[in-house]
Amino acid sequence: MKAIILARVSTEEQKEAGNSLPAQVARMEAYCQRNGLLIAETFSFDESAYKTKRDEFDKIIDYVNGAKEKIAICFDKVDRLSRNIFDKRVALLYEKAVSDEIELHFVSDGQVINNKMSAGDKFAFGMKLGLSKYYSDAISDNVKRANEQKRRNGEWTGMARIGYKNITDLNGKKDIIVDQERQHLIVKMFEMYSTGSYSYSTILEEVTSLGLTTLQGNKLARSSIENIIKDSFYCGIAVSKLYGSYPHKYPCLITREIFDKCQVIREGKAQKLQKCSTRDFIFKGLITCKNCGCLITPELKTKKSGKTFTYYSCTNAKRLCQRLYVPENKLLEPVYEVLEGFARITEETQNTLVKELRDSTEAEIAFHKAQVNRIRNEYEQLKQRDDRLLEAYLDQSITKDLYDKKHQEYHDKLQLLNIEIEEHTKADYNYQTTVASVLSVARRAKEIFEGSEIHEKRLFLNYLFQNSTLKEKKLEFKLRSPFNLVLELSSSPIWLPRLDSNQ
């Protein structure tokens, strides 16, 4: 019988002599030689068996599924297979073993999993899996307790912040100390920001010119400055995503007073920015310049009388335009022309159009229902054939190759029917109701627009219009479908062509 060897480690400790990958491979090669197993492939990798994502192990599963003959999979011990009894891969390999498709050999444990196992063998295998999981859980608990004790001692278990650095002393104990080369630059950052006169970008330029870099020697990003300014580690409080905040034992680079002052300034700037950015304008973000393609932006201007007006102009980011200011009221003029055009559509026109649609779609609805029934009948027939095929295979009336071939054929046909019925389901054959809704919205468009808040007006215009541009001082736009067709009803008599079979 052919065999594959699987050697796996997940920690540095396991790589030591006795548990290393070469040691595992050597034991299994000797085992295969003693038992007459021909080694077809050897897999050797570092990967945790306690995680859901196991890419390297999944390659072995693919290899097993693609094998044309029965093979033996050799592990050093049960815990090299998995430390998680709920791992779906364990169940898959176990089922294949008891079905006589493969064999699982655990060399150091002296156990073979196959279709000839006794109840005692199965119980022993289950116990070993359970003990493997208990071992991992116990390690996890020990690590958690150790980290809890470190937090009580004020220790930080992760990478040091910029301004500090990780060290290992002569006894192998790890610690964090102040980075003498960088600490004064971190202090300077807080002092500059605490004045309220410097932005993150300005501070970045200053400390970069003074030689501040990341721990890897790279240039800091602007976001790094913000992260440092809002990090309480520098004033003595460590913050963990999992365990919250706690006081650490390391020297503080700044006082709590200067840290709090920086936070007040930071939050004040954020609120000011939010306040400025939340000012609503009707055409904000909806119009681009016809000439250069840049955005048309709004701004407030106050007259000598004290009245405030909104004007729009091209940002002229490409330096191609002469900046012209257009009052918002002038931009609204063509908008109101469209809204008033919608209002001229009568209720009688709406009802007549819906009736014509209803009459013209009766044949299409009947065809749609007939197609759905046909697909469902074909689907049920294929499912029944596939079920009978499986029964024939289980009764050994047909070979596995024939079963696989016909099963795949039925599966492909079922997939095509699924796609076809999805397409029919997506088709909306009740569009007379949709047309009634569109017409109703269009007829009340002016009323809706005038009764809305500014941000609602902007959303409504974006719903109606597309490709809005400003050419000098003239607003140009296109109505979205189907409102472009609806507007024609305000000036044209009702004419509805018969609908074809392809909507």
Side-chain angles (χ1 to χ4, degrees), residues 133-302:
K133 184 175 188 304
Y134 170 77
Y135 176 77
S136 289
D137 289 343
I139 291 176
S140 177
D141 289 343
N142 291 337
V143 170
K144 288 178 181 178
R145 282 193 292 269
N147 286 336
E148 287 173 1
Q149 184 59 46
K150 286 184 177 182
R151 287 192 297 277
R152 284 193 289 269
N153 294 337
E155 298 179 49
W156 179 252
T157 57
M159 287 295 295
R161 305 292 202 273
I162 299 176
Y164 298 87
K165 60 182 180 181
N166 297 90
I167 63 165
T168 303
D169 62 21
L170 298 176
N171 297 321
K173 184 179 179 181
K174 295 181 179 180
D175 199 2
I176 294 176
I177 62 173
V178 172
D179 186 343
Q180 300 297 334
E181 295 180 0
R182 291 183 173 89
Q183 65 160 330
H184 67 285
L185 295 176
I186 299 297
V187 174
K188 185 176 183 64
M189 288 171 54
F190 279 96
E191 289 176 345
M192 291 176 66
Y193 195 81
S194 66
T195 65
S197 303
Y198 297 92
S199 66
Y200 294 138
S201 299
T202 306
I203 294 173
L204 175 62
E205 291 179 8
E206 177 68 17
V207 295
T208 300
S209 68
L210 294 174
L212 182 62
T213 62
T214 65
L215 297 174
Q216 293 75 34
N218 300 320
K219 181 181 177 181
L220 270 69
R222 182 183 178 278
S223 58
S224 300
I225 305 299
E226 181 181 5
N227 291 335
I228 289 172
I229 293 296
K230 64 184 182 182
D231 191 347
S232 61
F233 193 94
Y234 295 100
C235 68
I237 304 297
V239 178
S240 166
K241 290 182 179 180
L242 291 177
Y243 307 107
S245 60
Y246 61 93
H248 66 67
K249 68 173 187 176
Y250 311 107
C252 299
L253 298 190
I254 59 170
T255 64
R256 183 61 190 247
E257 180 182 2
I258 195 172
F259 176 79
D260 289 341
K261 188 175 181 179
C262 288
Q263 305 321 300
V264 170
I265 293 172
R266 186 176 65 84
E267 291 168 6
K269 287 185 176 181
Q271 290 175 0
K272 184 178 180 181
L273 180 63
Q274 183 179 15
K275 185 176 181 180
C276 294
S277 64
T278 54
R279 172 76 188 191
D280 273 329
F281 298 92
I282 295 176
F283 293 101
K284 181 180 178 182
L286 299 183
I287 310 173
T288 56
C289 178
K290 183 81 170 182
N291 182 43
C292 68
C294 294
L295 195 65
I296 301 296
T297 58
E299 58 183 277
L300 295 175
K301 290 187 177 292
T302 304

Side-chain angles (χ1 to χ4, degrees), residues 264-484:
V264 170
I265 293 172
R266 186 176 65 84
E267 291 168 6
K269 287 185 176 181
Q271 290 175 0
K272 184 178 180 181
L273 180 63
Q274 183 179 15
K275 185 176 181 180
C276 294
S277 64
T278 54
R279 172 76 188 191
D280 273 329
F281 298 92
I282 295 176
F283 293 101
K284 181 180 178 182
L286 299 183
I287 310 173
T288 56
C289 178
K290 183 81 170 182
N291 182 43
C292 68
C294 294
L295 195 65
I296 301 296
T297 58
E299 58 183 277
L300 295 175
K301 290 187 177 292
T302 304
K303 301 290 185 179
K304 292 181 179 179
S305 62
K307 291 185 178 180
T308 302
F309 298 89
T310 302
Y311 286 83
Y312 291 80
S313 64
C314 175
T315 59
N316 197 22
K318 298 179 181 178
R319 300 293 187 269
L320 299 176
C321 297
Q322 180 181 357
R323 197 156 193 175
L324 300 175
Y325 290 90
V326 186
E328 187 174 80
N329 289 338
K330 185 171 181 62
L331 297 179
L332 284 171
E333 289 176 2
V335 172
Y336 272 106
E337 289 179 10
V338 172
L339 300 182
E340 289 167 357
F342 284 141
R344 289 194 291 270
I345 301 172
T346 64
E347 186 175 358
E348 180 183 2
T349 299
Q350 174 181 325
N351 294 337
T352 303
L353 180 61
V354 172
K355 180 179 182 302
E356 288 288 333
L357 273 172
R358 185 181 297 112
D359 294 341
S360 66
T361 55
E362 287 180 354
E364 281 77 13
I365 293 173
F367 174 77
H368 164 71
K369 290 181 178 178
Q371 289 296 99
V372 171
N373 288 333
R374 173 188 64 79
I375 295 169
R376 286 175 176 166
N377 289 335
E378 288 185 21
Y379 189 91
E380 288 302 319
Q381 290 176 6
L382 280 172
K383 283 291 292 179
Q384 291 174 8
R385 290 179 186 175
D386 196 38
D387 291 341
R388 290 196 296 271
L389 180 70
L390 178 60
E391 291 176 0
Y393 171 64
L394 295 175
D395 292 338
Q396 298 184 345
S397 301
I398 58 175
T399 64
K400 187 175 186 303
D401 288 342
L402 179 58
Y403 168 77
D404 290 341
K405 180 180 178 180
K406 293 299 293 182
H407 173 68
Q408 187 61 47
E409 179 184 330
Y410 291 154
H411 177 75
D412 293 342
K413 289 182 179 179
L414 288 170
Q415 288 292 97
L416 290 175
L417 289 174
N418 273 326
I419 294 172
E420 191 175 353
I421 200 166
E422 283 179 8
E423 292 300 319
H424 280 280
T425 304
K426 290 176 185 175
D428 183 6
Y429 288 91
N430 294 321
Y431 35 69
Q432 62 266 24
T433 304
T434 305
V435 170
S437 301
V438 169
L439 287 172
S440 176
V441 169
R443 289 178 58 230
R444 297 185 300 108
K446 184 178 179 182
E447 175 189 344
I448 293 171
F449 184 75
E450 291 180 336
S452 301
E453 299 292 335
I454 290 180
H455 72 279
E456 294 171 333
K457 288 181 178 179
R458 185 172 64 253
L459 291 173
F460 191 63
L461 291 182
N462 192 42
Y463 177 61
L464 291 178
F465 304 135
Q466 62 182 354
N467 300 331
S468 300
T469 58
L470 186 64
K471 184 178 182 181
E472 294 183 352
K473 292 189 176 184
K474 183 180 178 182
L475 178 63
E476 299 179 353
F477 53 80
K478 292 182 180 180
L479 275 171
R480 294 186 186 274
S481 178
F483 293 102
N484 57 338

